[in-house]
């Protein structure tokens, strides 16, 4: 039996919560639509094709900490952030509602100090949520094969020690999930494995929990906190067909949706986001409408390029959806219906 007992291991990896936009940008698609051309599209205020929220150009997000707006009084920082409130993801938006009155009350402190003040209040709710999940995991132990049962208790006990700060380093969700993942791969029973993974996944993260956000970012600089409040709303280039499958066609998508999707198929993303086809339609429609506007003002070539791009992204989605035809006939029919545009007809082979 392997004991999971290594005080150092939770401290080994210090991952940044978001991967910046490091998309490989080569190939025929990139030659036709170079990055500067795609960047111009952002002037159209495109909504994220997945969540439908407006996106902020990454350069704009990066410029704020560089200009020092987050380093001064928390009031200045919060006022700056407030301009982007409509773009924010749910956790960041909730944090804003908490820090706005507090910044008025304590204008003499900085953004990090403000988050530290909040941490006194939010720590217990995070710890309670984390311990609850560990107990839920332990409640599954009787279903686990006898020889693996103790190890599950050990993993939970180690995690608890980190959560309750009996170890020198912080509890890290990612490492905990790796442990559970590794552990469950040894289990014979698929159903038990699924249950354990599902429970472990509920461990709060700064992306879905206000208290996890506060506890994580209390140790970060005001600049990092300010940037983090906005960065998930930044526009990033997403490969419609995953990079891992040599996809070339890219679309602007918010950092958060890009992260969540990772390399999973488009069909799963659509399944997980019930409004996605509508949001995607809106995204493409803005581009098509712009093309019509430009054409009416004499810019035939420019207009055609926009239409070609709109068609390229639309058809890339349809092609990906078709790959799962048998499983997702409903999505396919819905997509064919919603992604129709007079100006960019769907080819017969995609319709069949
Ligand atoms: Zn999004």
């Amino acid at each position: 039996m392997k004991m999971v007992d290594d005080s150092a291991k939770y401290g080994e990896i210090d991952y940044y919560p978001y991967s910046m936009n490091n998309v490989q940008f080569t190939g025929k698609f990139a030659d036709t639509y170079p990055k500067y051309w795609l960047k111009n599209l952002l002037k159209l205020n495109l909504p994220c094709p997945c969540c439908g929220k407006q996106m902020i150009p990454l350069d704009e997000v990066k410029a704020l900490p560089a200009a020092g707006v987050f380093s001064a009084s928390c009031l200045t920082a919060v006022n700056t952030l407030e301009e982007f409130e409509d773009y924010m993801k749910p956790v960041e938006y909730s944090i804003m509602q908490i820090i706005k009155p507090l910044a008025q009350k304590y204008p003499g402190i900085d953004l990090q100090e403000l988050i530290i003040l909040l941490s006194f209040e939010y720590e217990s709710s995070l710890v309670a949520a984390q311990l609850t999940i560990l107990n839920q995991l332990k409640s599954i132990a009787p279903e686990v094969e006898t020889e693996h049962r103790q190890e599950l208790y050990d993993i939970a006990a180690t995690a608890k020690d980190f959560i309750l700060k009996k170890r020198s380093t912080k509890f890290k969700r990612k490492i905990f999930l790796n442990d559970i993942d590794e552990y469950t791969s040894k289990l014979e029973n698929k159903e038990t494995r699924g249950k354990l993974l599902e429970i472990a996944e509920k461990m709060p993260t700064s992306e879905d929990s206000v208290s996890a956000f506060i506890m994580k970012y209390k140790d970060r600089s005001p600049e990092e906190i300010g940037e983090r409040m906005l960065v998930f709303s930044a526009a990033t280039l997403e490969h419609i067909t995953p990079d891992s499958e040599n996809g070339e066609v890219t679309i602007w998508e918010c950092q958060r949706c890009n992260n969540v999707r990772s390399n999973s198929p488009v069909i799963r993303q659509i399944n997980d986001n019930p409004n996605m086809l509508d949001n995607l339609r809106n995204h493409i429609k803005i581009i098509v409408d712009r093309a019509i506007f430009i054409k009416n003002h004499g810019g035939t070539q420019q207009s055609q390029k926009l239409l070609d791009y709109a068609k390229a992204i639309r058809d890339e989605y349809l092609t990906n959806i078709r790959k799962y035809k048998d499983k997702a006939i409903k999505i396919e029919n819905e997509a064919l219906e919603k992604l129709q545009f007079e100006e960019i007809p769907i080819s017969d082979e995609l319709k069949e």
Side-chain angles (χ1 to χ4, degrees):
M1 200 180 303
K2 194 189 128 217
M3 274 290 286
V4 184
D5 184 43
D6 178 1
S7 288
K9 83 180 179 154
Y10 275 100
E12 270 167 22
I13 309 170
D14 193 20
Y15 58 96
Y16 218 41
Y18 44 85
S19 59
M20 291 319 290
N21 195 21
N22 51 5
V23 160
Q24 285 296 315
F25 216 66
T26 50
K28 217 176 113 210
F29 180 84
D31 290 342
T32 317
Y33 307 104
K35 212 165 180 177
Y36 75 85
W37 188 88
L38 293 172
K39 268 190 174 177
N40 262 329
L41 291 177
L42 291 176
K43 291 179 189 157
L44 301 175
N45 289 324
L46 296 171
C48 168
C50 176
C51 69
K53 278 251 182 192
Q54 293 264 305
M55 298 179 281
I56 318 171
L58 186 60
D59 298 347
E60 230 175 279
V61 175
K62 289 278 175 195
L64 293 169
V69 292
F70 299 130
S71 325
S73 152
C74 62
L75 198 55
T76 312
V78 169
N79 285 341
T80 305
L81 289 171
E82 204 176 355
E83 291 169 34
F84 298 94
E85 213 175 52
D86 293 343
Y87 298 72
M88 285 179 186
K89 306 290 135 186
V91 168
E92 290 83 329
Y93 186 84
S94 302
I95 303 256
M96 274 307 284
Q97 309 322 308
I98 298 165
I99 61 179
K100 274 193 286 184
L102 216 56
Q104 296 284 346
K105 198 171 167 187
Y106 305 113
I109 62 176
D110 70 25
L111 194 54
Q112 184 190 7
E113 289 157 354
L114 196 72
I115 299 295
I116 292 172
L117 282 192
L118 284 170
S119 70
F120 297 114
E121 192 184 330
Y122 282 83
E123 181 172 18
S124 54
S125 62
L126 177 63
V127 170
Q130 290 168 328
L131 295 179
T132 301
I133 286 163
L134 294 183
N135 288 329
Q136 285 172 358
L137 282 176
K138 286 194 283 184
S139 75
I140 306 294
E143 295 174 34
V144 172
E145 300 102 80
T146 328
E147 78 254 45
H148 293 307
R149 216 169 275 166
Q150 187 55 42
E151 196 183 336
L152 181 59
Y153 288 121
D154 292 341
I155 292 173
T158 306
K160 183 174 173 176
D161 276 0
F162 280 99
I163 290 166
L164 297 178
K165 297 187 178 149
K166 289 180 185 167
R167 306 291 177 96
S168 56
T169 49
K170 270 195 187 181
F171 172 74
K172 286 192 172 150
R173 179 182 188 270
K174 205 174 193 175
I175 296 172
F176 169 73
L177 288 184
N178 277 343
D179 286 351
I180 293 291
D181 206 36
E182 204 179 292
Y183 169 72
T184 51
S185 68
K186 296 179 220 163
L187 302 180
E188 297 281 344
N189 190 323
K190 238 182 161 182
E191 204 185 317
T192 310
R193 203 191 300 167
K195 268 191 212 169
L196 290 170
L197 286 171
E198 200 184 313
I199 295 171
E201 277 284 335
K202 287 190 203 142
M203 196 54 93
T205 94
S206 58
E207 294 180 31
D208 63 22
S209 145
V210 167
S211 47
F213 184 107
I214 288 167
M215 295 315 293
K216 177 165 187 172
Y217 284 92
K218 72 180 174 58
D219 298 325
R220 303 296 175 100
S221 68
E223 294 79 10
E224 278 176 302
I225 297 167
E227 191 179 323
R228 172 61 180 77
M229 289 289 285
L230 301 175
V231 81
F232 280 172
S233 311
T236 59
L237 285 167
E238 166 81 308
H239 284 101
I240 298 171
T241 301
D243 206 6
S244 53
E245 291 167 30
N246 302 318
E248 277 190 19
V249 181
T250 51
I251 187 168
W252 288 111
E253 184 170 278
C254 81
Q255 176 80 65
R256 169 86 168 119
C257 292
N258 197 338
N259 278 7
V260 171
R261 182 189 162 196
S262 186
N263 272 331
S264 70
V266 152
I267 199 89
R268 190 190 298 163
Q269 194 185 27
I270 297 172
N271 242 329
D272 292 346
N273 297 277
N275 296 323
M276 177 156 174
L277 288 174
D278 291 315
N279 296 331
L280 177 59
R281 183 189 164 80
N282 291 339
H283 184 109
I284 299 172
K285 189 171 188 308
I286 289 174
I287 299 168
V288 172
D289 286 350
R290 183 68 187 170
I292 297 168
F293 175 87
I294 292 175
K295 195 179 173 195
N296 291 340
H297 289 78
T300 316
Q301 230 179 337
Q302 256 191 343
S303 165
Q304 192 55 49
K305 187 158 179 173
L306 280 171
L307 288 179
D308 290 346
Y309 170 75
K311 187 171 175 8
I313 54 176
R314 193 270 318 273
D315 290 357
E316 189 81 353
Y317 275 103
L318 290 179
T319 307
N320 273 277
I321 291 168
R322 271 182 73 87
K323 282 189 213 157
Y324 297 84
K325 196 174 172 60
D326 299 338
K327 276 188 192 159
I329 188 83
K330 193 172 151 270
I331 288 180
E332 188 184 4
N333 290 335
E334 215 180 317
L336 283 171
E337 190 189 310
K338 286 188 171 161
L339 303 178
Q340 294 256 23
F341 297 89
E342 206 184 307
E343 299 76 11
I344 47 169
I346 296 173
S347 68
D348 289 340
E349 65 187 275
L350 282 172
K351 275 191 204 163
E352 270 163 24

